[in-house]
Amino acid sequence: DGGITQSPKYLFRKEGQNVTLSCEQNLNHDAMYWYRQDPGQGLRLIYYSQIVNDFQKGDIAEGYSVSREKKESFPLTVTSAQKNPTAFYLCASSIEGPRPGAGELFFGEGSRLTVL
Amino acid sequence: DQQVKQNSPSLSVQEGRISILNCDYTNSMFDYFLWYKKYPAEGPTFLISISSIKDKNEDGRFTVFLNKSAKHLSLHIVPSQPGDSAVYFCAAANQAGTALIFGKGTTLSVSS
């Protein structure tokens, strides 16, 4: 089945450690995104990539890094510089940028990161 | 500063009645709007969208209305069902089409 797979679903990290969240899609979508959800905050954009080997910072990119070496993969690294990393992280993809007629964003099931 | 605002954190409705979820935006460059539905511990799923060239879009029980002069859109669910209980996010995209900006969400509870 086509879709977006995020792993791991749950992750615990000690303070000061980097951690990488995986996001893989087999929808042949060009664009991929990372959002963060906190209670009462909605979804906030961390990074997005419109095409392979290119990515852009979103609203809250500080303390995060990404790579887009392959069309189907867009891993997110939460570095020790991220001051409040405990959150629910959502990866998404779309055929292209979110233009009318381009189709909607498809989301993965999310990864919950807890810093101990 | 929030560009997409959902000012009601929660809404409770009885089964069979209409649910109206509201969303306001501040950026006049937004020209494409979407609603997403989200259950706990899952990713959001697309519900319905509307382009700024329209003022209404309907899909089954779901209708989205857009009032560009007021920078306001609303999602109507008629009739509401218990399975509609979820968090609903309003989202907007600008002409650059780089990414969606989401509101904080409204939690809808439909009681039977």
Side-chain angles (χ1 to χ4, degrees):
Chain A
D1 283 357
I4 300 178
T5 302
Q6 287 187 241
S7 63
K9 197 169 177 67
Y10 299 96
L11 185 61
F12 297 89
R13 184 193 97 175
K14 292 183 180 178
E15 277 195 40
Q17 287 181 333
N18 291 357
V19 63
T20 298
L21 306 180
S22 169
C23 178
E24 304 278 330
Q25 55 99 358
N26 60 3
L27 299 166
N28 200 32
H29 285 174
D30 284 317
M32 296 187 75
Y33 312 81
W34 274 104
Y35 286 90
R36 168 179 170 148
Q37 184 188 14
D38 296 282
Q41 289 293 322
L43 304 179
R44 292 183 291 168
L45 181 66
I46 305 173
Y47 268 97
Y48 63 95
S49 168
Q50 300 285 72
I51 198 168
V52 175
N53 292 323
D54 184 56
F55 49 83
Q56 304 295 330
K57 291 182 179 180
D59 300 320
I60 54 166
E62 186 175 350
Y64 298 98
S65 66
V66 293
S67 63
R68 188 84 188 278
E69 297 175 2
K70 298 185 297 183
K71 186 176 185 178
E72 58 270 21
S73 178
F74 191 41
L76 173 74
T77 297
V78 185
T79 74
S80 56
Q82 168 49 233
K83 296 191 185 331
N84 188 17
T86 294
F88 189 56
Y89 290 88
L90 286 159
C91 179
S93 71
S94 62
I95 295 173
E96 50 182 292
R99 302 301 313 128
E104 72 275 15
L105 261 61
F106 292 83
F107 283 87
E109 295 203 339
S111 294
R112 181 164 295 283
L113 171 64
T114 302
V115 174
L116 305 172
Chain B
D1 189 28
Q2 254 196 307
Q3 298 186 69
V4 178
K5 300 178 184 180
Q6 293 177 257
N7 292 319
S8 297
S10 62
L11 175 67
S12 293
V13 170
Q14 279 193 318
E15 183 178 8
R17 300 289 188 108
I18 184 172
S19 295
I20 301 177
L21 297 99
N22 293 304
C23 178
D24 297 294
Y25 61 95
T26 57
N27 190 339
S28 58
M29 298 302 291
F30 288 151
D31 64 352
Y32 182 46
F33 305 90
L34 306 91
W35 285 94
Y36 281 81
K37 176 179 176 179
K38 185 181 182 300
Y39 294 113
E42 293 184 9
T45 54
F46 170 74
L47 204 53
I48 192 168
S49 64
I50 187 166
S51 164
S52 60
I53 62 174
K54 295 185 175 182
D55 54 18
K56 176 183 173 181
N57 190 24
E58 200 170 345
D59 184 2
R61 296 186 297 114
F62 303 92
T63 303
V64 57
F65 296 92
L66 175 63
N67 182 335
K68 282 177 291 187
S69 59
K71 294 192 180 68
H72 176 84
L73 63 155
S74 60
L75 174 68
H76 293 212
I77 306 174
V78 182
S80 301
Q81 299 173 354
D84 295 330
S85 298
V87 179
Y88 289 79
F89 290 100
C90 171
N94 59 20
Q95 291 180 347
T98 48
L100 293 180
I101 308 298
F102 284 83
K104 291 187 176 182
T106 296
T107 299
L108 173 65
S109 299
V110 180
S111 57
S112 53

